[in-house]
Amino acid sequence: MKLRHALLPLCLLAALPSLATARGFDVRDMVKLDRVSAPLLTANGAQVVFTKRVVDADLKASSSLWIRDLRTRDLAPPRQFSPEGWNVNSAALSADGQSVYFLSARNGTQQLYVMPLSGGTPRQLTDFPVDVASYRVSPQDDRVLFSADVYQDCGSDLACTSKRLEAGKTRKTSGELFDGIFVRHWDTWADGRRNTLFVAPLPAAGAAAVQGASAISATLAGDAPSKPFGGNDDYAWSPDGKSVVASIRVAGKQEPWSTNFDLYRLDAAGKKAPVNLTASNPAWDTGPVFSADGKTLFYRAMKRPGFEADRLGLMALDLASGKAREIAPQWDRSADGITLSADGQTLYTTAQDMGEHPLFAVNIANGEPTRLVGEGSISAFDIAGDTLTFTRNSLKSGDQVFTSSTTAGAPLRAITPSAGEMLEGVDFGDFEQFSFKGWNDETVHGYVLKPHNYQEGKQYPVAFLIHGGPQGSFGNGWSYRWNPQTYAGQGYAVVMIDFHGSTGYGQAFTDAISQHWGDRPLEDLQKGWAAAQQQYPFLDGDKACALGASYGGYMVNWIAGNWNEPWKCLVNHNGVFDTRSMGAVTEELWFTEWEFGGTVAANPDGYEAFNPARHIHKWKVPTLVVAGQNDFRVPLDQSLSTFHTLQRQGIESQLLYFPDENHWVLKPHNSVQWHDTVNGWLKKHIGQ
């Protein structure tokens, strides 16, 4: 190679610095990358507003608002218009399109602010003694509907909650007495508070921030929005501003095993009792969106109670008659959040589809879906007239802001740079989707990534990644936790299989894993591993490690006792060790009760059928175990049981324990440590 370069003219050598300096993508690149999100279009589609997150030298994050005038081509780049030093989130445009609302905790608690799009000093609109967690401003721009985590028996007295929290800090006892199962959820112990919806007037220009609000959902013993991941897409204003519809689960002590979220109509003035609009459906109803005339409510609904991964169909409810219909019953995809077109004829939504997450336009009259933008994963979008903006990521880049039109296949205009454009001199591994015949002779798909330094004719050690969920997907998308490029950047090839149970291949494919955790997906993984090696000779099957988290960690434990031959090492992040114990100790019991066919007491055989703990006598592969103290989904005892078993049997093993992380590793410095530890484990056992 050096000899060939010596024969090149100097002008050509100057154009080839990447051959000498290019390196692979690393976790330190990942945690430092700018992240853009939540694009919004002004009403005329002339400007796009988005949020950008950056980190400082110590990886401390802050977010600001940026704007780009779309009437210019490339002469005027996006500019920051929120003030320096402000950390902002949850932007929304005013009805007149001249101002932007956002949340900030600049003055202690998180409150609502507003400022002109042209810039200036933000004006504080609310001054409550509790955080504003999420919000929607009324269509008339005169009130704010917001959620706050409060004691519901305090009613509209927000100060009551803050006083009780302060009083709790001076208690001389620490014990808590519970009489229900939902004592902890995700990463938080219950303290009696619920997310509750309030309405408050917005102060006129020059007036002091509002300090009082009226509770409108406190009479319903449920969280609005749901915990821990609900947001303002769980509720909506009616066009006339007189009422609100919110998705709320009111299940009493059955809440830990219920997925029955209903849509409640709430009086914005708080004078009328809530009305359940979807009482006839015992499964999940969510994502309300009103038609412009307020006569129709669009939303998404599941059909099977207790199944969190059921298909979410698009629904239309006639509010006068109470009759609901499914808009696209033949479309075998599960819809995400929805946006209604200005003419009321189309619903725009994203959905998992064949290893990607495209944007679709669904005709309301005939239910016909049209794929507008694919080739990757759409994470957020907004529409104004026929102008479209969205964020899209892929296996080669985090989110970028694009603009386009609502015409299928229309050209795209990048507003922000890709990861490769931000990281000069960094190479990314190329990727390709492949397919094979898996369980039941059905087609299964997967992805293979080449190492960043790939050369034709060479073989490379392999990181075999197993996704969680189990109803999930490792497809053409970017992750800040399990990112295949961090392995390709270390010189590994990567194989990922969307086994039966994965999303985006039809509901029957997703359903296939329930009560079959250890047989059907295992067969897919085995056949996929064989097919990948046959189709891609650069995979070194003798130097491979399998890695997974959550269900993927369960599968790592399962293959340790049922398919350990190919693997030189294993990595188990917060994985299930004992399915029977998992069914008794996890918090969202609807999950295990659906997946294993009932309660532990009612169907013990269902829990034992594919229990990794029954096969530990066959374990022999060196295993790295990762655990988070605050993981209440797959609690710490599962990881400790795995590690103790490995150690007691003399199997080479290590435990990476995070006292301040939950089911995920979210803190940037911890993420670096996680990747360094995992990469060190792989390097030790399969080289680099």
Side-chain angles (χ1 to χ4, degrees):
M1 181 67 73
K2 291 182 179 179
L3 179 61
R4 292 182 62 188
H5 281 183
L7 299 176
L8 292 173
L10 291 177
C11 62
L12 291 182
L13 282 174
L16 295 173
S18 62
L19 292 178
T21 62
R23 59 176 178 81
F25 181 70
D26 180 76
V27 60
R28 290 160 183 79
D29 300 314
M30 186 175 73
V31 297
K32 292 178 182 178
L33 279 173
D34 294 348
R35 306 185 194 182
V36 296
S37 61
L40 300 169
L41 286 169
T42 54
N44 60 1
Q47 295 172 302
V48 59
V49 175
F50 59 92
T51 303
K52 183 161 79 169
R53 173 192 179 274
V54 300
V55 297
D56 62 17
D58 194 38
L59 304 184
K60 183 179 179 181
S62 62
S63 297
S64 54
L65 297 178
W66 292 66
I67 192 167
R68 173 68 151 87
D69 192 326
L70 302 179
R71 292 166 295 192
T72 65
R73 290 305 298 175
D74 300 313
L75 298 178
R79 63 175 177 84
Q80 180 179 339
F81 72 96
S82 61
E84 288 290 343
W86 284 65
N87 196 4
V88 307
N89 66 86
S90 307
L93 295 176
S94 61
D96 63 10
Q98 300 302 306
S99 302
V100 61
Y101 300 101
F102 60 85
L103 298 177
S104 175
R106 181 174 178 81
N107 294 320
T109 57
Q110 181 164 273
Q111 302 297 322
L112 181 66
Y113 293 80
V114 68
M115 66 176 296
L117 286 179
S118 56
T121 302
R123 181 165 63 95
Q124 186 171 344
L125 298 177
T126 64
D127 187 15
F128 303 132
V130 296
D131 288 335
V132 175
S134 67
Y135 74 96
R136 283 190 182 272
V137 174
S138 69
Q140 294 74 28
D141 262 349
D142 61 348
R143 289 158 296 158
V144 59
L145 167 68
F146 69 95
S147 67
D149 198 18
V150 299
Y151 297 107
Q152 290 191 321
D153 59 0
C154 288
S156 297
D157 184 0
L158 293 169
C160 169
T161 291
S162 62
K163 290 176 182 177
R164 282 167 64 171
L165 290 173
E166 284 300 316
K169 296 177 182 178
T170 62
R171 281 177 47 188
K172 294 184 178 181
T173 60
S174 61
E176 297 287 349
L177 184 65
F178 298 98
D179 61 0
I181 296 179
F182 235 165
V183 297
R184 60 185 189 177
H185 197 182
W186 187 246
D187 59 5
T188 305
W189 280 87
D191 64 0
R193 288 182 291 168
R194 285 194 180 275
N195 283 343
T196 304
L197 293 175
F198 295 81
V199 173
L202 289 180
V210 64
Q211 294 184 322
S214 299
I216 65 170
S217 73
T219 59
L220 296 172
D223 289 291
S226 63
K227 291 182 179 180
F229 302 119
N232 68 356
D233 56 342
D234 284 334
Y235 55 86
W237 282 98
S238 63
D240 61 9
K242 294 181 179 180
S243 63
V244 169
V245 170
S247 175
I248 307 175
R249 175 177 52 196
V250 182
K253 290 189 176 182
Q254 297 181 21
E255 188 173 10
W257 58 90
S258 170
T259 60
N260 185 19
F261 287 81
D262 283 310
L263 297 178
Y264 287 86
R265 190 160 200 167
L266 310 171
D267 179 22
K271 298 179 179 179
K272 299 177 182 178
V275 177
N276 189 340
L277 301 176
T278 58
S280 61
N281 181 26
W284 210 316
D285 302 292
T286 190
V289 173
F290 278 92
S291 62
D293 60 11
K295 296 180 179 179
T296 303
L297 185 72
F298 300 101
Y299 62 101
R300 297 171 293 137
M302 296 181 180
K303 295 180 179 179
R304 290 175 284 182
F307 185 24
E308 67 175 12
D310 197 11
R311 174 178 167 272
L312 279 164
L314 296 170
M315 307 295 294
L317 174 66
D318 183 281
L319 291 169
S321 67
K323 293 182 178 179
R325 72 174 182 92
E326 186 172 356
I327 292 170
Q330 304 305 314
W331 187 41
D332 195 10
R333 293 294 181 265
S334 190
D336 294 331
I338 54 179
T339 295
L340 181 65
S341 64
D343 62 8
Q345 303 300 307
T346 304
L347 287 179
Y348 297 98
T349 185
T350 53
Q352 290 285 348
D353 184 55
M354 303 297 291
E356 297 187 311
H357 192 245
L359 175 64
F360 294 88
V362 181
N363 186 293
I364 294 175
N366 61 24
E368 185 67 27
T370 300
R371 182 166 167 156
L372 295 183
V373 183
E375 297 180 6
S377 296
I378 307 298
S379 53
F381 68 95
D382 193 28
I383 293 171
D386 62 356
T387 301
L388 167 67
T389 186
F390 57 90
T391 44
R392 183 180 69 175
N393 59 78
S394 71
L395 281 168
K396 277 197 169 184
S397 178
D399 276 329
Q400 282 182 269
V401 176
F402 290 89
T403 58
S404 185
S405 79
T406 54
T407 302
L412 309 182
R413 182 181 177 188
I415 303 300
T416 60
S418 67
E421 291 167 331
M422 287 188 279
L423 296 170
E424 185 177 355
V426 172
D427 276 350
F428 291 84
D430 291 328
F431 63 91
E432 182 174 300
Q433 190 178 42
F434 71 104
S435 63
F436 58 93
K437 293 298 182 180
W439 171 77
N440 203 31
D441 207 32
E442 296 175 4
T443 300
V444 178
H445 292 80
Y447 278 90
V448 167
L449 275 79
K450 295 177 180 179
H452 80 97
N453 54 348
Y454 172 79
Q455 295 180 28
E456 192 73 31
K458 290 188 63 176
Q459 281 196 319
Y460 298 87
V462 184
F464 188 78
L465 305 187
I466 306 171
H467 72 68
Q471 293 88 0
S473 173
F474 266 163
N476 186 10
W478 186 266
S479 172
Y480 287 98
R481 295 192 304 274
W482 282 75
N483 190 317
Q485 290 290 354
T486 63
Y487 301 97
Q490 303 302 307
Y492 302 115
V494 181
V495 176
M496 306 179 294
I497 306 298
D498 267 358
F499 46 80
H500 276 81
S502 301
T503 52
Y505 304 92
Q507 191 59 44
F509 192 92
T510 300
D511 291 348
I513 197 170
S514 297
Q515 301 183 48
H516 289 277
W517 274 29
D519 55 357
R520 297 171 181 178
L522 178 63
E523 185 174 338
D524 288 343
L525 292 171
Q526 291 172 326
K527 291 181 175 178
W529 176 233
Q533 292 178 84
Q534 183 177 13
Q535 295 183 42
Y536 302 97
F538 60 84
L539 300 176
D540 188 346
D542 293 326
K543 294 181 179 180
C545 289
L547 309 85
S550 194
Y551 171 83
Y554 158 89
M555 181 52 71
V556 165
N557 278 342
W558 183 248
I559 66 178
N562 294 277
W563 182 42
N564 54 34
E565 297 83 6
W567 315 114
K568 293 296 186 290
C569 71
L570 301 171
V571 177
N572 176 347
H573 180 124
N574 290 354
V576 177
F577 170 80
D578 185 336
T579 47
R580 183 181 291 207
S581 172
M582 171 70 177
V585 74
T586 193
E587 12 84 289
E588 293 183 349
L589 294 177
W590 66 77
F591 171 69
T592 49
E593 290 178 13
W594 181 275
E595 291 302 305
F596 300 118
T599 66
V600 178
N603 187 27
D605 291 344
Y607 287 79
E608 289 297 330
F610 302 110
N611 189 351
R614 296 178 61 190
H615 301 272
I616 56 177
H617 59 285
K618 294 178 284 185
W619 286 12
K620 63 181 182 180
V621 180
T623 302
L624 171 66
V625 181
V626 184
Q629 175 66 44
N630 299 321
D631 182 3
F632 303 151
R633 184 61 42 85
V634 183
L636 181 62
D637 68 286
Q638 299 292 311
S639 296
L640 290 178
S641 296
T642 300
F643 182 61
H644 290 175
T645 298
L646 291 160
Q647 288 278 303
R648 189 65 181 85
Q649 295 181 193
I651 300 170
E652 183 184 356
S653 51
Q654 289 183 327
L655 172 68
L656 176 60
Y657 165 72
F658 291 101
D660 55 351
E661 297 285 4
N662 55 31
H663 199 53
W664 303 329
V665 175
L666 299 176
K667 295 177 173 61
H669 290 290
N670 286 348
S671 179
V672 172
Q673 182 185 14
W674 186 97
H675 283 82
D676 285 348
T677 303
V678 170
N679 286 330
W681 190 252
L682 298 185
K683 183 178 181 180
K684 179 179 182 180
H685 292 283
I686 57 175
Q688 194 165 19

